[in-house]
Amino acid sequence: MPANTSLASGDFNGHHYEVISATGGISWTAARDAASGTLGGQLVAIETAAENNYIRGIIPEEAFFNPAWQIPDENPGDFLGPWIGGSQSSSATEPAGGWAWSTGALMAGHAAWDQNGEPWGSTNLTAADTDWGDYAAFYKYTRYDRAVWIDINGGRNGDANAEPISYIVEFLPRTNTAEQNDFDGSNNGQLVSNASLTSAVTIDLTLVAPQNTRGGGSDTFLNINHLIGTDYDDTLTGNDNANILHGGSGNDALTGGDGNDTLTGGSEDDTLTGGSGEDVLRGNEDDDTLKGGSGTDILNGGSGRDLLNGGTGGDTLTGGSEADQFKFTKSNEGGDTITDFGRSDKLAFVSANFGGLPRGALGTSRFVANTDGSATSTTQRFVFNTSTSVLKYDPDGSGSAPAVAMATLTNVRNLSANQIQIVAS
């Protein structure tokens, strides 16, 4: 998962939350600074039991990991999750003194609604111990049915190899209205929500001059990196920064541009285009088109009959439920991993860039599947290795030209010619 991209998101009581990836681990201080700086929000400050329960429900499995310090002294089935905004002053009295949110507000009352009672509720430590943590994160114990809080020292005892691999950012969205608005995210507030508008919007974050956003009137967007669309057919375009764009309902068109962007569709048929950078594209419901562009991207179609094109770079493609199409427009778009290729899915290749092959289902003479992944005749163009699950394009079959690995089909051992389509464009 690319760093600083969204793993999941949600909205509760007018607040917006993003669970952000931090591949390789991140300290609490670095997460706090990224939340308030690069992302323009804050590490989440959880103020009620209801908010805590909601946030627990949106944290995905990939936000947790099993740190080495749990073994052998703790249950290896426990998992460390994302940072939240609680920390303790270094001069405070252990265990409960000086705890506050990153906003400066004091932490209070949470022990009554968090099963674990932490970040200062441990029963096996005393104030004299050195293992008290100064930073709060979510944690999944096998003995509890849901994630709870834990206090650690940015791993544990300063172990950088045990740092959380995610953190939760909270935004108080700025609301677009049908009147003229001037948005400037210089002092945080980099998320603008259009969800309350009654018609579609067109917003381009690369523009600094006032723009006619249709449903939102004439608006200016300065230092704004994140957008939430309407329930209608929106067109949202990011800038050169790491953008988070949510289309909402409607047939939306989202474009990330440069930067490591996270684009999320919604219900109805969306078109998501990542551009350069390492992007994450999620179609969610209905029949979506996902285009990764350059970079190492992650595409997930969700439900519906989706079309996925990773572009250049070694991308990870997941079609989701129903029959999906994985498209390759050129031979330099190979090196991808398709995680869920099934019997009803298709691999599509553009004829003009794959030897001018006839359009339609690939002819059986153009395909071979064997255990060594080598063409056996000069007419064959696609070779599937049944041992490694790698599909290659070979421009001259058993000739001397090198074959190009197009995709690894995870857990697939059998592939046939009729699962490959040759298309016009």
Side-chain angles (χ1 to χ4, degrees):
M1 175 66 65
N4 294 324
T5 53
S6 175
L7 299 171
S9 62
D11 297 274
F12 181 82
N13 277 358
H15 291 228
H16 181 80
Y17 309 92
E18 297 283 346
V19 183
I20 303 296
S21 68
T23 304
I26 189 171
S27 70
W28 185 91
T29 303
R32 177 201 62 192
D33 293 346
S36 62
T38 305
L39 293 168
Q42 65 184 35
L43 272 185
V44 63
I46 304 173
E47 299 176 345
T48 67
E51 183 182 18
N52 191 54
N53 287 333
Y54 176 80
I55 291 171
R56 281 194 282 215
I58 67 170
I59 305 173
E61 289 297 324
E62 58 264 41
F64 292 88
F65 83 113
N66 184 248
W69 51 254
Q70 292 171 334
I71 304 172
D73 65 324
E74 297 198 28
N75 193 320
D78 295 348
F79 292 87
L80 179 61
W83 288 120
I84 59 178
S87 67
Q88 184 182 36
S89 169
S90 59
S91 60
T93 302
E94 296 289 6
W99 280 91
W101 295 111
S102 56
T103 58
L106 295 179
M107 296 173 67
H110 74 277
W113 41 262
D114 188 89
Q115 278 178 293
N116 200 33
E118 296 210 25
W120 56 79
S122 179
T123 58
N124 58 2
L125 295 176
T126 70
D129 279 294
T130 59
D131 200 27
W132 289 106
D134 292 333
Y135 305 103
F138 273 108
Y139 195 87
K140 290 178 70 175
Y141 289 96
T142 53
R143 63 182 181 269
Y144 295 142
D145 62 357
R146 53 186 177 177
V148 296
W149 295 3
I150 189 173
D151 54 333
I152 59 175
N153 281 320
R156 180 167 180 168
N157 295 328
D159 181 4
N161 294 321
E163 291 175 338
I165 58 171
S166 61
Y167 55 101
I168 303 176
V169 181
E170 178 180 9
F171 299 89
L172 185 59
R174 305 173 68 178
T175 302
N176 199 0
T177 67
E179 309 299 328
Q180 179 175 337
N181 296 280
D182 295 320
F183 298 104
D184 190 340
S186 298
N187 296 312
N188 295 335
Q190 294 183 13
L191 172 68
V192 173
S193 175
N194 302 275
S196 63
L197 296 174
T198 57
S199 60
V201 295
T202 296
I203 299 174
D204 186 343
L205 295 181
T206 66
L207 302 178
V208 297
Q211 54 186 291
N212 181 2
T213 63
R214 297 191 295 165
S218 178
D219 301 316
T220 302
F221 298 87
L222 299 176
N223 305 301
I224 299 297
N225 292 321
H226 318 307
L227 296 171
I228 297 174
T230 71
D231 288 338
Y232 307 94
D233 301 345
D234 302 314
T235 300
L236 307 178
T237 302
N239 51 32
D240 292 344
N241 298 319
N243 303 125
I244 298 174
L245 306 179
H246 291 273
S249 300
N251 301 316
D252 303 310
L254 312 181
T255 302
D258 294 341
N260 297 341
D261 305 310
T262 303
L263 313 181
T264 304
S267 59
E268 302 190 44
D269 304 340
D270 304 309
T271 299
L272 313 181
T273 304
S276 62
E278 299 181 348
D279 305 310
V280 176
L281 280 60
R282 300 189 187 93
N284 285 342
E285 302 174 34
D286 297 311
D287 303 342
D288 304 307
T289 299
L290 281 61
K291 304 174 184 178
S294 61
T296 303
D297 306 310
I298 297 175
L299 281 61
N300 190 324
S303 61
R305 301 169 65 90
D306 305 307
L307 187 153
L308 291 79
N309 171 233
T312 57
D315 307 305
T316 301
L317 314 178
T318 302
S321 59
E322 300 189 47
D324 303 303
Q325 183 181 98
F326 301 90
K327 184 177 179 181
F328 300 85
T329 61
K330 298 179 180 179
S331 60
N332 67 348
E333 293 180 351
D336 294 342
T337 297
I338 300 175
T339 68
D340 65 340
F341 190 82
R343 293 181 179 276
S344 60
D345 298 323
K346 300 293 183 182
L347 297 156
F349 298 86
V350 173
S351 173
N353 298 317
F354 288 90
L357 290 169
R359 284 176 280 176
L362 184 70
T364 56
S365 65
R366 303 289 189 177
F367 177 81
V368 65
N370 53 42
T371 58
D372 65 359
S374 299
T376 58
S377 78
T378 56
T379 61
Q380 293 164 353
R381 292 296 178 266
F382 290 93
V383 182
F384 182 67
N385 188 320
T386 57
S387 299
T388 64
S389 303
V390 174
L391 177 69
K392 294 182 179 180
Y393 169 67
D394 196 324
D396 64 352
S398 59
S400 59
V404 179
M406 299 306 301
T408 298
L409 311 183
T410 303
N411 296 325
V412 175
R413 291 292 180 261
N414 295 294
L415 189 71
S416 60
N418 63 10
Q419 292 175 285
I420 298 175
Q421 297 287 312
I422 306 301
V423 297
S425 61

